[in-house]
Amino acid sequence: MTDASTPNLTVTDVQSIINNAKSSASDPITTALQIFTNLGDQATISGDVLRQALVATAPLPPQYASLLVGLQSIAKSGSTVTLTSTDDTQATISGTQARLKKIASFDVGSVNGQPAITNIAGLSVHKFFWIDIQSVQLLQSQGQRSIRVVTSAATKDFPLP
């Protein structure tokens, strides 16, 4: 819930935040973290504002965009981001079924000095059964970068180009 001290960001505000993050980050995790960090400590974005800003600055592939169709709002309080949708949403991404619950949340920050999205609740993928995504972290070692995804079933590292 918001109050008078929680700003409702406009399309222009969100476009500026996205453009700044895209110009200063080289990977999707760092870009996402910069976007969420630059929202400030308290902010609210309506789903319509986010969709309009994304169309103008960072169009999403249809499979990702379909997860945001029912998004009503994004609220940030401290390091916690909460997404509220009209209902659970499912989409197929790279051959894997993904589900975003009606209410999903996560924390933005770092793990061992590396950008991370942790304490994820309400996001899962289907591989024989639904697997909850718990955290996503950027890793860097010996000049190689990868994204570590921790789930309720396993941990997997995906190399970045």
Side-chain angles (χ1 to χ4, degrees):
M1 294 293 147
T2 64
D3 60 35
S5 65
T6 303
N8 289 309
L9 299 178
T10 66
V11 172
T12 303
D13 295 333
V14 177
Q15 286 174 323
S16 177
I17 289 168
I18 292 170
N19 284 330
N20 287 339
K22 283 174 44 181
S23 68
S24 63
S26 61
D27 60 80
I29 296 297
T30 304
T31 300
L33 282 170
Q34 286 185 0
I35 289 169
F36 292 121
T37 299
N38 292 338
L39 292 176
D41 284 338
Q42 300 287 326
T44 301
I45 304 169
S46 76
D48 289 338
V49 165
L50 177 64
R51 285 184 287 275
Q52 290 174 38
L54 286 171
V55 165
T57 58
L60 295 174
Q63 64 271 26
Y64 294 105
S66 67
L67 283 173
L68 302 180
V69 168
L71 186 66
Q72 292 179 314
S73 68
I74 296 176
K76 183 174 181 226
S77 179
S79 63
T80 302
V81 177
T82 303
L83 300 106
T84 304
S85 299
T86 53
D87 207 348
D88 290 2
T89 308
Q90 292 186 29
T92 301
I93 301 170
S94 300
T96 299
Q97 190 72 13
R99 177 176 60 198
L100 183 64
K101 294 293 234 169
K102 183 176 179 176
I103 297 185
S105 63
F106 54 88
D107 293 333
V108 293
S110 63
V111 172
N112 298 325
Q114 297 297 319
I117 299 172
T118 59
N119 299 319
I120 299 171
L123 177 63
S124 55
V125 294
H126 192 269
K127 291 287 187 185
F128 305 111
F129 53 89
W130 286 103
I131 301 169
D132 294 327
I133 307 290
Q134 297 173 335
S135 68
V136 179
Q137 177 187 3
L138 177 68
L139 301 175
Q140 296 184 49
S141 177
Q142 301 175 354
Q144 299 297 315
R145 297 177 337 139
S146 60
I147 294 177
R148 172 166 289 162
V149 178
V150 178
T151 72
S152 55
T155 299
K156 182 158 174 107
D157 294 345
F158 298 92
L160 291 172

